[in-house]
Amino acid sequence: MSFFDQKEPPRREERLGACIAMNDTVHNLAKKKSCLHDDGERAFNQGSICLLLPALAILNSIPDSVVLIHGANGCGSSSHSQNANTRSGSFQRTGTGKDALWLSTGLNETDVISGGELKLAPAIREADQRYRPKTIFVVSTCVPGIIGDDIDGVIAEVQPDVSARIVPIHCQGFKTKIWATAYDAVYHGIGRTLLDEPDDAAPEAAQGDAQDAALEAPTGAPQATVQTASPENDQPNRTVNLMNISSMGRVDELELERLLKAIGLDVNFFPVFASPDGMFRMTKAALSISTCPTHDDYILKHLHEKYGVPYQLKHMPIGIENTNQWIRDIAAFFGVSDQAEQLIAREEQELQAALAEFKPLFAGKTVFVSAGEFRALVTAQLLTELGFTVSGIRSFHHDEFAEEEYKKLARQSKDDYVVNIANVQPFEEANLLQKLKPDLFLGHTNGNMTAAKLGIATHVIYNTGLSYVGYKGAYELARRLYRQLRNPAYNANLAKHLRLPYQTEWYQSNPFQYIKTRGGSLHG
Amino acid sequence: MANHVFVERPRYTCASGGAVATVTALPGGIPILHAAQGCAGNFAWTQNGAAGLQVGGYCGSLTVPSSNIQEREVVFGGVERLHEQIGHTLKIMDGELFVVLTSCVTEVIGDDVAPVIAEYREQGIPITFAETAGFKGNAYVGYDLVLQSLFRDVLQRGIPTVKRNVNLWGIPPYQDVFWRGNLSELRRLLEKLGLTVNSFFTAEDTVESIRHAASAELNIVVSETYGLEAAKAFQEIHGVPFLSLPLPIGPSATEPFLTKVGEALALESAVVESVIASERRSFYHTLGPLTDCYNDFDLQRYAIVVGDGNYAPALTRFLADDLGWLPELVVITDPHDDDKQTLLQARVAASPTGLTPQLVFESDGSQIIEHFRRRWPSDPQQKYKNAFNPAFVVGSSLERELAATLGAGHLSVSYPVANRAILDRGYTGYRGGLRLIEDLIGQIIAGR
């Protein structure tokens, strides 16, 4: 039975053996299988995010939709930040910047006692009548999860009276510590509800039937060059799905589209900013391409199993060699390797010439990287290509998709360095950075403050307004780092006049002291 | 009118979020969330998008210690995890005041945190707690609950009253994006009256001054809606009376503010009058040179004001009474009970200009345009018509679409403020009035 036959997707702890608390080194990780890792827990924690937040980041971008958050009035307030991305993203794609439309059922004490279902049905009906959306995403949170609201039951009951398609998204934050489960939660809702072709779908969209091309193992690149012809016009289907769950802005989408067009492919992006009525088009593509395996495996496997769309789930196109490999695998699938090699050679030559201006400043500088696992590892590879020496990496979680990336990093560096798996936990980071004193730190959004207050030059590793991906991204990132390193005075001044909220003794302790292994003992 | 089945784009986060923001604004304040792992991140992202680019504090954002309870604790209870978390927090974090804040999940599962906190308090640890489940209310409620906890557990009891000591609150940190500037200006004015002010959250405040807050003669709450439960608790526990006054913006509102404080403390009226006179002189001395351009560019505007229970009446009265603008529609976007609604209505209606803008309580921003069209019907076919222009919308950043629809200018003041960077700017008092004029007119002439 498929995961998609269940109401909720499985937790990544079970599905992928993902873990969040670990202290290791890059050379060690390059040798281990991820299933052999000993996940731990922390006896001291700082807050992080839950799956609701990245899920909302995707849902808030989807046009003609309403996001109805079923929970207390604060769940979903992160939308205020995501709204900036929705406004700029819709402006870049349509010329009009629109506010995201999110609603809260605002469960109160009475609802907690009497159940929230009573509020949900009228909320869906009112949202449908007032805003006339194509889709209503009903997002369930912690409280309905505990008091036992059956949101799927309510949806089934009201759907006949409601013209919008209602999509349940399950986001009970306490249920999983791996917030990447958010992507599964969103793809699960889309996969179960939005992939059927609407009756009034535009005819030109329905190109090519589902394919049954051979498929390699999930982490292997598809080798098949078999092309099925579209029944209408005998032209081979060259339309690909490019998955973006909001880890890339429009500028990065355009870079990847440019590269794929250069080898003769047409690109559709899913699911951010994609019309709900057009989601079914992802079932018609010749190939689904992931831009980050951690994000996309759940839907790509579903598209293959149910609709026969083969997929590529390997490499993230951040870093020069990674971009080369990403293109090569796609090109091999379509039998256009020669074109791809010409493209790669041309792009690399131009890029290397352009980077020459920055490399002398980077040479010998140490860098510490912190982000979601795949993003952190591929960015570290890019930074090595730019001439930095990686002195440490922190990843938000660890799972099997990254095994190959640790191997790449180990090959790049003969010196070993620390890899800390942590769902943020800046106290460990502060301790590590104080010991390692890197010249530069790249952290996720909301993740640069610690390094900044320690006086280290910083740059954000992910921001949908900035370019990171492909050859252009490599250049633009280098250009921004060059700028940061030329004058890190903002951070240097902070370090002189502000302190982090940790006791002096903490910096002398083992940074991993509070990680408990399964046996239950604390590190010494 | 507002529906009751959902709130559109709520302009606040939950009680826990308001509480975390409040604790992070206290000197050396360290919140300890007893919550699922995502609450802290939700608050950080919310501030990132809504609080004028201010995220965190001494120990905010993702630095906040949190018990990060999981399904296991939901089944078996989270008290043990909390105990471990507090113990280790005290070993790692360097704070002056620790506040444990409970959340939806830990309150639904019935974790009893009071005995845990009592244990640490007995050891002399400066720690308290507040039960701030999100379903108990919004960020304003969280602010009030934290103040109640401070008053109950942190303030020394039974200390003698010190004449001319006052406490000042009613401006929720971060939820009022201009909290620093707003508190500082009111501190400055009260100090000018000869008072010693504890305001909890400014750079001048210390944990020591907070501990001695019960020595005050009077608590001044510059809100008619927020922080009032805490004021009652303070009075009950420490016997200090409170004065609840509207948030004063500009000379017309600040003068009665200072007068009422003076009366409540039986200050010499000559002192109060001389402070008012010198401030008013300075205000108009500064404003004077704008007058040529104010007239030449025809800078008077019709206005729609959208904001919370503090800002909406205060901004409306400033625009009408001090700036001579024409507010037509006033929208209060956060929930208030009937008595408060009546009180806020009276504030808006009391303008000495005789203007009577319509006040509506509407949580959903998309409905404001409908209220406006009912208030100011317009026939596009008419050749001569008294249209609603030139117009200005003073609201939150969610009013940008409304302003664009009306062809009006726009300034974000009330939460969320996504499109401005705010550090210590404030709109209260005399100096705040000048800042607000600069910002309003700056928006109108930005393309000049």
Side-chain angles (χ1 to χ4, degrees):
Chain A
M1 191 157 92
S2 159
F3 290 133
F4 282 74
D5 296 329
Q6 310 286 334
K7 282 183 187 170
E8 298 183 37
R11 300 177 346 136
R12 285 197 170 198
E13 286 91 329
E14 276 87 43
R15 188 168 74 80
L16 299 168
C19 60
I20 58 158
M22 221 168 62
N23 154 36
D24 216 319
T25 70
V26 69
H27 284 177
N28 259 337
L29 282 164
K31 288 178 223 144
K32 277 191 204 168
K33 291 293 281 181
S34 88
C35 56
L36 298 177
H37 291 305
D38 195 15
D39 188 20
E41 286 191 326
R42 286 179 175 79
F44 170 76
N45 285 286
Q46 288 162 308
S48 54
I49 65 169
C50 69
L51 75 169
L52 176 65
L53 278 71
L56 289 175
I58 303 168
L59 300 174
N60 276 320
S61 81
I62 295 179
D64 305 319
S65 295
V66 167
V67 181
L68 174 60
I69 299 141
H70 186 43
N73 64 54
C75 290
S77 61
S78 64
S79 301
H80 284 294
S81 147
Q82 293 149 2
N83 192 39
N85 178 52
T86 301
R87 289 175 62 88
S88 62
S90 57
F91 180 79
Q92 288 154 2
R93 289 165 178 89
T94 68
T96 313
K98 277 185 71 75
D99 284 322
L101 185 49
W102 72 97
L103 316 171
S104 168
T105 52
L107 297 180
N108 59 27
E109 279 181 292
T110 315
D111 302 322
V112 169
I113 295 158
S114 52
E117 291 177 19
L118 292 171
K119 233 176 182 171
L120 183 56
I124 295 171
R125 288 200 176 94
E126 171 72 17
D128 185 58
Q129 284 187 4
R130 185 190 283 189
Y131 307 106
R132 290 286 165 206
K134 288 181 176 161
T135 308
I136 298 172
F137 294 103
V138 175
V139 185
S140 172
T141 61
C142 285
V143 168
I146 300 176
I147 64 176
D149 282 0
D150 176 12
I151 68 162
D152 296 270
V154 172
I155 288 169
E157 182 198 313
V158 300
Q159 180 67 80
D161 317 331
V162 164
S163 58
R165 282 193 281 184
I166 314 171
V167 185
I169 308 283
H170 290 272
C171 291
Q172 288 87 24
F174 66 89
K175 282 195 177 168
T176 172
K177 51 194 184 183
I178 312 295
W179 63 66
T181 304
Y183 313 124
D184 304 351
V186 171
Y187 280 138
H188 192 84
I190 291 173
R192 275 167 63 84
T193 325
L194 295 180
L195 294 187
D196 291 335
E197 189 166 347
D199 298 335
D200 56 352
E204 74 272 16
Q207 46 179 272
D209 282 337
Q211 309 206 356
D212 58 353
L215 185 85
E216 286 285 282
T219 49
Q223 301 296 310
T225 53
V226 180
Q227 299 292 304
T228 50
S230 154
E232 290 96 29
N233 51 16
D234 276 355
Q235 291 297 309
N237 180 359
R238 297 249 164 163
T239 301
V240 298
N241 297 327
L242 225 159
M243 312 312 287
N244 177 10
I245 51 73
S246 202
S247 61
M248 300 188 294
R250 184 62 181 151
V251 59
D252 282 340
E253 286 187 354
L254 290 172
E255 168 68 355
L256 295 183
E257 190 171 35
R258 176 182 78 85
L259 296 171
L260 295 182
K261 272 191 168 163
I263 56 170
L265 303 180
D266 293 320
V267 182
N268 284 328
F269 290 95
F270 301 103
V272 294
F273 295 99
S275 161
D277 281 354
M279 291 283 183
F280 76 93
R281 286 177 195 143
M282 69 173 91
T283 68
K284 311 283 185 187
L287 180 71
S288 297
I289 303 169
S290 170
T291 47
C292 174
T294 300
H295 294 155
D296 304 320
D297 81 296
Y298 192 71
I299 189 72
L300 295 199
K301 288 168 189 165
H302 177 66
L303 287 170
H304 175 243
E305 280 164 22
K306 185 158 180 197
Y307 303 96
V309 182
Y311 60 87
Q312 168 166 316
L313 190 65
K314 198 178 175 188
H315 307 299
M316 186 173 191
I318 288 181
I320 304 166
E321 192 50 35
N322 283 330
T323 303
N324 295 347
Q325 283 304 330
W326 187 80
I327 294 171
R328 280 191 183 112
D329 288 352
I330 298 164
F333 177 83
F334 287 101
V336 289
S337 293
D338 291 349
Q339 261 174 280
E341 290 307 327
Q342 286 166 20
L343 171 73
I344 289 167
R346 198 166 60 234
E347 292 287 336
E348 264 222 75
Q349 191 190 6
E350 271 183 303
L351 174 62
Q352 292 297 355
L355 288 173
E357 179 185 357
F358 309 128
K359 281 191 168 175
L361 183 68
F362 299 164
K365 290 216 164 44
T366 55
V367 62
F368 194 108
V369 176
S370 171
E373 186 171 45
F374 226 89
R375 185 87 182 210
L377 303 183
V378 296
T379 305
Q381 291 159 32
L382 170 56
L383 293 168
T384 309
E385 290 173 330
L386 294 176
F388 291 95
T389 303
V390 178
S391 66
I393 296 177
R394 303 185 82 226
S395 302
F396 292 154
H397 79 272
H398 175 62
D399 62 32
E400 64 187 34
F401 300 115
E403 283 170 19
E404 181 64 29
E405 303 306 313
Y406 286 108
K407 288 183 187 137
K408 290 183 196 169
L409 283 164
R411 282 198 296 273
Q412 275 185 331
S413 170
K414 61 179 194 305
D415 295 327
D416 206 0
Y417 52 81
V418 63
V419 176
N420 175 202
I421 306 298
N423 51 350
V424 194
Q425 308 304 329
F427 77 107
E428 283 176 9
E429 185 170 280
N431 181 314
L432 271 173
L433 292 178
Q434 192 70 295
K435 291 185 166 82
L436 293 169
K437 300 196 186 311
D439 299 309
L440 175 67
F441 178 90
L442 278 85
H444 201 262
T445 46
N446 287 121
N448 282 290
M449 180 265 282
T450 299
K453 288 184 182 169
L454 290 170
I456 299 162
T458 45
H459 182 63
V460 65
I461 203 168
Y462 153 71
N463 172 327
T464 52
L466 301 175
S467 163
Y468 294 92
V469 157
Y471 304 107
K472 180 178 164 61
Y475 178 77
E476 291 298 330
L477 181 69
R479 203 163 77 84
R480 296 196 299 269
L481 297 180
Y482 184 75
R483 177 156 56 74
Q484 292 296 339
L485 287 167
R486 282 179 71 201
N487 189 358
Y490 181 95
N491 291 0
N493 290 331
L494 284 187
K496 277 183 219 152
H497 305 290
L498 285 180
R499 55 190 299 275
L500 291 166
Y502 307 111
Q503 295 180 24
T504 316
E505 299 77 44
W506 167 241
Y507 295 100
Q508 275 103 54
S509 311
N510 172 355
F512 310 114
Q513 186 176 332
Y514 289 93
I515 296 180
K516 294 191 278 192
T517 58
R518 280 206 181 94
S521 62
L522 294 183
H523 285 244
Chain B
M1 286 308 290
N3 75 85
H4 298 286
V5 288
F6 59 70
V7 180
E8 180 192 291
R9 303 181 185 113
R11 295 158 186 242
Y12 37 74
T13 186
C14 64
S16 284
V20 167
T22 303
V23 175
T24 64
L26 287 167
I30 297 207
I32 302 175
L33 267 169
H34 187 34
Q37 67 177 20
C39 295
N42 181 40
F43 307 146
W45 288 26
T46 304
Q47 290 188 338
N48 171 304
L53 276 55
Q54 306 163 59
V55 185
Y58 172 63
C59 181
S61 190
L62 301 181
T63 306
V64 172
S66 171
S67 59
N68 293 2
I69 58 153
Q70 302 173 39
E71 203 152 23
R72 182 184 56 211
E73 284 83 18
V74 169
V75 177
F76 298 108
V79 168
E80 205 181 312
R81 175 77 268 278
L82 176 64
H83 221 303
E84 177 186 56
Q85 178 68 22
I86 296 173
H88 289 150
T89 298
L90 297 172
K91 285 187 184 154
I92 296 170
M93 307 305 290
D94 189 6
E96 295 183 72
L97 198 53
F98 296 87
V99 186
V100 172
L101 302 167
T102 57
S103 64
C104 290
V105 175
T106 55
E107 290 193 36
V108 173
I109 64 174
D111 278 359
D112 187 7
V113 304
V116 181
I117 308 304
E119 226 176 281
Y120 286 100
R121 289 179 57 75
E122 278 160 25
Q123 298 166 34
I125 309 287
I127 189 167
T128 179
F129 75 102
E131 291 177 334
T132 52
F135 54 77
K136 284 192 170 149
N138 57 25
Y140 299 99
V141 173
Y143 166 71
D144 197 308
L145 289 169
V146 168
L147 289 176
Q148 289 180 43
S149 299
L150 289 182
F151 301 163
R152 181 191 67 219
D153 285 344
V154 177
L155 269 56
Q156 281 179 25
R157 298 187 185 214
I159 56 173
T161 303
V162 176
K163 227 172 149 32
R164 309 231 157 141
N165 271 16
V166 296
N167 298 308
L168 170 70
W169 72 85
I171 295 171
Y174 297 94
Q175 183 62 35
D176 179 343
V177 175
F178 300 85
W179 59 283
R180 288 193 195 87
N182 283 347
L183 283 170
S184 294
E185 167 70 353
L186 296 177
R187 258 188 90 104
R188 182 185 74 81
L189 291 168
L190 294 172
E191 283 171 355
K192 217 166 159 181
L193 292 178
L195 306 177
T196 302
V197 185
N198 163 56
S199 51
F200 300 93
F201 305 109
T202 70
E204 278 73 47
D205 292 297
T206 63
V207 173
E208 215 34 48
S209 66
I210 293 171
R211 279 192 225 287
H212 289 105
S215 68
E217 259 190 284
L218 179 70
N219 291 326
I220 302 164
V221 186
V222 278
S223 175
E224 296 184 291
T225 54
Y226 312 127
L228 293 175
E229 292 307 311
K232 289 174 202 159
F234 200 124
Q235 184 160 22
E236 210 167 281
I237 300 167
H238 305 284
V240 179
F242 66 93
L243 190 58
S244 161
L245 297 168
L247 187 74
I249 297 178
S252 297
T254 309
E255 185 169 325
F257 166 77
L258 293 172
T259 306
K260 281 181 182 149
V261 169
E263 284 166 6
L265 291 166
L267 302 181
E268 271 183 57
S269 59
V271 172
V272 179
E273 278 162 25
S274 100
V275 169
I276 290 171
S278 92
E279 289 292 327
R280 197 167 42 199
R281 191 165 53 245
S282 164
F283 181 93
Y284 282 100
H285 178 80
T286 312
L287 184 67
L290 177 71
T291 309
D292 257 9
C293 291
Y294 189 85
N295 283 287
D296 294 352
F297 307 166
D298 186 26
L299 293 173
Q300 189 195 40
R301 291 292 180 268
Y302 287 107
I304 294 176
V305 179
V306 183
D308 66 10
N310 269 6
Y311 269 123
L315 291 166
T316 303
R317 291 290 299 275
F318 173 78
L319 296 183
D321 303 356
D322 287 325
L323 198 53
W325 282 15
L326 300 158
E328 277 297 326
L329 178 66
V330 183
V331 183
I332 293 182
T333 44
D334 61 326
H336 298 281
D337 63 27
D338 290 348
D339 289 349
K340 287 286 181 309
Q341 291 196 11
T342 308
L343 184 68
L344 296 169
Q345 174 68 61
R347 285 295 164 216
V348 170
S351 170
T353 59
L355 296 172
T356 53
Q358 184 190 4
L359 172 67
V360 296
F361 292 86
E362 171 62 77
S363 61
D364 302 353
S366 71
Q367 302 305 297
I368 295 172
I369 189 77
E370 306 302 329
H371 292 287
F372 170 74
R373 286 185 178 134
R374 282 191 290 273
R375 169 76 177 181
W376 193 292
S378 169
D379 177 1
Q381 302 306 321
Q382 240 176 305
K383 181 174 175 189
Y384 294 107
K385 63 175 174 179
N386 184 8
F388 188 71
N389 74 53
F392 202 100
V393 177
V394 187
S396 75
S397 48
L398 291 174
E399 271 63 65
R400 281 176 284 183
E401 288 180 13
L402 172 70
T405 305
L406 296 171
H410 170 260
L411 183 72
S412 303
V413 175
S414 191
Y415 197 93
V417 176
N419 58 342
R420 302 182 64 189
I422 305 304
L423 298 172
D424 67 351
R425 200 169 200 72
Y427 291 141
T428 54
Y430 295 89
R431 292 183 182 172
L434 293 173
R435 292 294 83 69
L436 186 51
I437 295 172
E438 287 177 344
D439 293 344
L440 292 167
I441 290 175
Q443 287 294 100
I444 296 173
I445 60 158
R448 189 170 180 251

